[in-house]
């Protein structure tokens, strides 16, 4: 090798030393590309040290753990079999890419997936309770209010009476009852002038003769909240087949039966059953949970306390639910409708709609009456003003009408009457025109041309 080649090789070596070293791309060893990408996005969004995430899970640290964090971990973490494979690469930790490094750290947590599911159940338990409990309470109160409301019972009897009167002579005459959704259809029957409805008429009758019936909207305070239902409205098909009758006609009442199920009630029952299954499963996990020497592991300790609290709350909620179902069944017996085929949302939904429509009818009646009273008062005021105007004109005519035959007594009487009523002082600026026959003849004067004397003609 000549000196030129040696010199060139030395220069190339020096140039390589001065250039920055390229970052070596770490290839995936165990994870598939899609799982690794999802984990990378998840880790980039939270930016927490891997050890901190692991310790937060071991300690069940709710200050650091959120529902979204646990849900993402459950969704994006690989299966336990893959985590076990990553655990074998612990000695090559620095050579692994970030998603696989995270997998190595998390692989040291025993029963990772059961832990995450239990922690998520703990984090969302109060939310589930708060979503179910208000609906149960609302339906319970609505059932009790409806059963106790005497004003509503009287209203049903009034509606039935009016309906039978209107249907007299037809095949629907002397009906013993009607469906609950008929209450909402009352406003479809309109007067001849199309300005008022049968609902307005009923509201007016109540205001005039049956004031006690007007109290029923206040007595059914929780009907609206009960009508919102116990389950997801998207998954519930509404069956408009509820029937309601006045209690006095219960013995001869009729009811409709349809082969249908209460989807929303099933959802509620399913949610309660699912809650119990999770509690039972958590109790089983605690009993068979392996002992760990990690001082951060507080899972068994904290979950044992939570399980007792969750069990107590579930038992209370189940008791409330069973009581609600019993009250609704009793309501079906009281008003004669099939509580097994008529959904709670449908029954209370129709009642809530009618309650709203009745209150609107009362307001519209009051507004119409106010307008009629206003019109009546304006008409009376106009008539009174016209009458007073005629009287003033009459008195004025009497005042200026001089008795041509010289009846001074009549003139004086009219004058005294005008002075007492004040008519003599009105329109004082208007002067009585003078008699043209009494006008003075103007003097005509001329100057004499002869003697300069002034003469009158």
């Amino acid at each position: 090798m000549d000196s030129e080649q040696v010199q060139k090789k030395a220069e190339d070596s020096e140039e390589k030393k001065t250039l920055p070293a390229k970052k070596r791309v770490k290839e995936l060893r165990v994870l598939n590309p899609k799982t690794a990408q999802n984990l990378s996005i998840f880790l980039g969004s939270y930016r927490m040290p891997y050890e901190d995430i692991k310790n937060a899970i071991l300690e069940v640290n709710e200050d650091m753990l959120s529902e979204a964090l646990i849900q993402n971990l459950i969704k994006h973490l690989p299966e336990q079999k893959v985590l076990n494979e990553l655990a074998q690469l612990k000695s090559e930790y620095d050579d692994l890419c970030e998603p696989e490094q995270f997998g190595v750290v998390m692989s040291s947590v025993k029963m990772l997936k059961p832990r995450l599911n239990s922690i998520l159940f703990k984090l969302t338990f109060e939310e589930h309770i708060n979503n179910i409990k208000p609906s149960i309470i609302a339906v319970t109160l609505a059932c009790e209010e409806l059963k106790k409301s005497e004003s509503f019972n009287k209203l049903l009897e009034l509606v039935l009476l009016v309906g039978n009167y209107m249907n007299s002579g037809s095949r629907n005459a002397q009906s013993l009852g009607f469906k609950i959704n008929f209450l909402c259809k009352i406003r479809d029957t309109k007067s001849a002038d199309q300005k008022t409805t049968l609902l307005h008429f009923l509201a007016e009758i109540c205001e005039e003769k049956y004031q006690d019936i007007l109290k029923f909207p206040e007595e059914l305070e929780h009907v609206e909240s009960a009508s919102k239902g116990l389950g997801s409205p998207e998954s519930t098909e509404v069956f408009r087949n509820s029937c309601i009758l006045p209690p006095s006609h219960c013995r001869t009442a009729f009811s409709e039966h349809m082969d249908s199920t209460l989807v929303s009630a099933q959802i509620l029952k399913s949610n309660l059953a699912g809650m119990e299954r999770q509690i039972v499963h958590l109790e089983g996990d605690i009993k068979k949970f392996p002992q760990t020497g990690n001082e951060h592991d507080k899972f068994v300790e904290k979950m044992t306390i939570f399980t007792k609290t969750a069990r107590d709350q579930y038992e209370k909620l189940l008791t409330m639910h069973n009581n609600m179902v019993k009250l609704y069944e009793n309501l079906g017996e009281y008003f004669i409708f099939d509580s097994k085929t008529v959904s709670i949302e449908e029954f209370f939904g129709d009642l809530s709609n009618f309650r709203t429509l009745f209150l609107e009818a009362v307001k519209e009646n009051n507004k119409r009456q106010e307008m009629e009273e206003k019109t009546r008062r304006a008409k009376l005021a106009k008539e009174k003003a016209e009458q007073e105007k005629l009287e003033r004109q009459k008195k004025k005519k009497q005042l200026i009408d001089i008795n041509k035959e010289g009846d001074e007594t009549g003139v004086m009487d009219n004058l005294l009457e005008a002075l007492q009523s004040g008519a003599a002082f009105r329109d004082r600026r208007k002067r009585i025109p003078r008699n043209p026959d009494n006008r003075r003849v103007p003097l005509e004067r001329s100057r004499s041309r002869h003697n300069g004397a002034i003469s009158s003609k």
Side-chain angles (χ1 to χ4, degrees):
M1 183 180 294
D2 54 12
S3 59
E4 292 182 358
Q5 291 178 342
V6 173
Q7 185 178 359
K8 186 176 181 181
K9 187 175 182 179
E11 290 176 356
D12 292 340
S13 178
E14 289 294 333
E15 184 178 356
K16 289 180 180 180
K17 291 180 180 179
T18 57
L19 293 175
K22 293 183 179 180
K23 186 177 181 180
R24 185 167 62 89
V25 179
K26 298 178 181 180
E27 297 182 356
L28 294 173
R29 302 279 293 277
V30 177
L31 297 178
N32 61 62
K34 185 176 181 180
T35 302
Q37 183 182 10
N38 291 334
L39 275 176
S40 296
I41 296 172
F42 162 72
L43 296 171
S45 61
Y46 282 94
R47 299 185 181 278
M48 293 174 60
Y50 305 157
E51 286 293 330
D52 290 350
I53 297 177
K54 183 188 77 171
N55 290 333
I57 294 173
L58 291 172
E59 297 171 357
V60 194
N61 187 347
E62 297 184 35
D63 293 333
M64 295 182 63
L65 299 177
S66 64
E67 180 181 345
L69 174 61
I70 300 299
Q71 285 178 340
N72 279 306
L73 284 172
I74 294 174
K75 181 178 180 180
H76 298 303
L77 273 176
E79 298 296 329
Q80 187 62 44
K81 181 180 178 181
V82 179
L83 290 176
N84 293 338
E85 293 180 15
L86 289 172
Q88 303 299 322
L89 303 177
K90 185 177 181 180
S91 59
E92 304 176 37
Y93 182 85
D94 294 334
D95 297 329
L96 300 176
C97 62
E98 291 184 0
E100 291 185 331
Q101 288 179 346
F102 179 70
V104 169
V105 173
M106 299 307 295
S107 65
S108 63
V109 180
K110 295 182 179 181
M111 297 181 67
L112 178 59
K113 282 294 179 71
R115 283 179 190 261
L116 294 176
N117 289 325
S118 298
I119 292 173
L120 182 61
F121 176 56
K122 184 177 188 300
L123 292 175
T124 59
F125 182 76
E126 287 297 328
E127 181 180 356
H128 290 316
I129 293 291
N130 294 333
N131 286 338
I132 297 175
K133 191 174 182 179
S135 297
I136 295 177
I137 293 175
V139 174
T140 300
L141 293 175
C143 290
E144 294 175 347
E145 291 171 350
L146 192 59
K147 186 76 173 291
K148 296 177 182 178
S149 178
E150 295 182 1
S151 60
F152 183 71
N153 292 337
K154 291 180 180 178
L155 174 66
L156 296 179
E157 294 179 358
L158 179 61
V159 171
L160 185 62
L161 176 64
V162 173
N164 282 330
Y165 178 80
M166 295 179 65
N167 292 328
S168 59
S170 68
R171 61 184 181 87
N172 294 325
Q174 300 303 316
S175 296
L176 301 176
F178 52 88
K179 297 179 182 180
I180 185 64
N181 58 3
F182 173 73
L183 292 175
C184 299
K185 297 177 181 178
I186 291 177
R187 68 170 182 170
D188 295 337
T189 303
K190 298 183 179 181
S191 61
D193 58 3
Q194 302 291 310
K195 293 182 179 180
T196 59
T197 67
L198 180 58
L199 184 58
H200 291 105
F201 174 72
L202 286 171
E204 188 174 354
I205 291 178
C206 293
E207 287 185 299
E208 293 178 357
K209 299 183 178 180
Y210 305 102
Q211 287 286 331
D212 292 342
I213 295 180
L214 296 175
K215 296 186 298 183
F216 92 87
E218 299 177 2
E219 295 178 353
L220 305 184
E221 180 182 358
H222 292 86
V223 165
E224 182 179 359
S225 55
S227 67
K228 296 178 181 178
L230 303 170
S232 174
E234 291 80 7
S235 61
T236 303
E237 181 180 1
V238 178
F239 298 97
R240 305 194 64 82
N241 65 326
S242 52
C243 176
I244 189 169
L245 301 105
S248 59
H249 301 278
C250 286
R251 292 184 179 180
T252 55
F254 64 89
S255 61
E256 288 190 14
H257 298 274
M258 293 182 63
D259 295 330
S260 60
T261 56
L262 303 182
V263 179
S264 60
Q266 288 180 348
I267 291 175
L268 176 61
K269 188 175 181 180
S270 177
N271 288 339
L272 290 172
M275 185 181 296
E276 184 184 22
R277 284 195 301 269
Q278 286 183 291
I279 293 173
V280 171
H281 187 71
L282 181 55
E283 291 171 342
D285 285 345
I286 292 173
K287 291 180 180 179
K288 65 183 181 182
F289 206 82
Q291 297 291 332
T292 60
N294 194 326
E295 61 179 1
H296 293 284
D297 197 348
K298 306 292 183 182
F299 181 82
V300 175
E301 176 185 347
K302 291 189 175 182
M303 284 300 171
T304 300
I305 298 173
F306 164 70
T307 303
K308 292 180 180 179
T309 303
R311 170 66 66 178
D312 291 340
Q313 294 191 48
Y314 165 74
E315 294 293 343
K316 293 178 181 178
L317 196 63
L318 183 63
T319 301
M320 293 174 60
H321 172 259
N322 292 337
N323 181 53
M324 180 205 74
V325 173
K326 185 63 177 177
L327 287 173
Y328 186 64
E329 291 175 353
N330 292 339
L331 203 63
E333 296 176 0
Y334 185 71
F335 287 110
I336 313 302
F337 69 90
D338 191 352
S339 60
K340 295 181 180 179
T341 57
V342 178
S343 69
I344 292 175
E345 298 94 321
E346 174 65 11
F347 180 76
F348 286 110
D350 287 329
L351 289 179
S352 177
N353 291 337
F354 174 72
R355 177 177 178 271
T356 302
L357 293 174
F358 186 86
L359 290 173
E360 290 178 354
V362 171
K363 291 181 180 179
E364 290 169 358
N365 281 348
N366 293 334
K367 185 177 180 179
R368 187 182 69 254
Q369 291 172 2
E370 290 176 0
M371 293 297 296
E372 291 176 353
E373 179 65 18
K374 185 177 181 180
T375 303
R376 187 185 67 84
R377 290 179 180 177
K379 183 179 179 180
L380 290 176
K382 183 178 179 181
E383 292 176 353
K384 183 178 179 181
E386 291 178 353
Q387 184 66 25
E388 291 178 350
K389 182 179 178 181
L390 291 175
E391 291 179 357
R392 289 196 302 268
Q393 291 177 351
K394 182 179 179 181
K395 291 177 180 180
K396 184 177 179 181
K397 183 178 180 181
Q398 292 176 349
L399 179 65
I400 64 176
D401 188 13
I402 300 175
N403 194 336
K404 296 182 178 180
E405 297 180 358
D407 189 356
E408 299 297 334
T409 303
V411 174
M412 293 303 299
D413 291 341
N414 291 336
L415 179 58
L416 290 174
E417 184 179 354
L419 290 172
Q420 291 176 356
S421 64
F425 302 102
R426 298 191 185 104
D427 301 327
R428 290 187 300 171
R429 295 181 180 181
K430 297 181 180 180
R431 297 182 178 179
I432 300 175
R434 297 181 179 178
N435 190 345
D437 297 334
N438 296 331
R439 288 183 299 178
R440 294 181 181 179
V441 180
L443 297 176
E444 295 183 4
R445 297 175 178 175
S446 61
R447 186 183 298 269
S448 175
R449 293 181 178 178
H450 301 285
N451 55 10
I454 299 174
S455 61
S456 298
K457 292 184 179 180

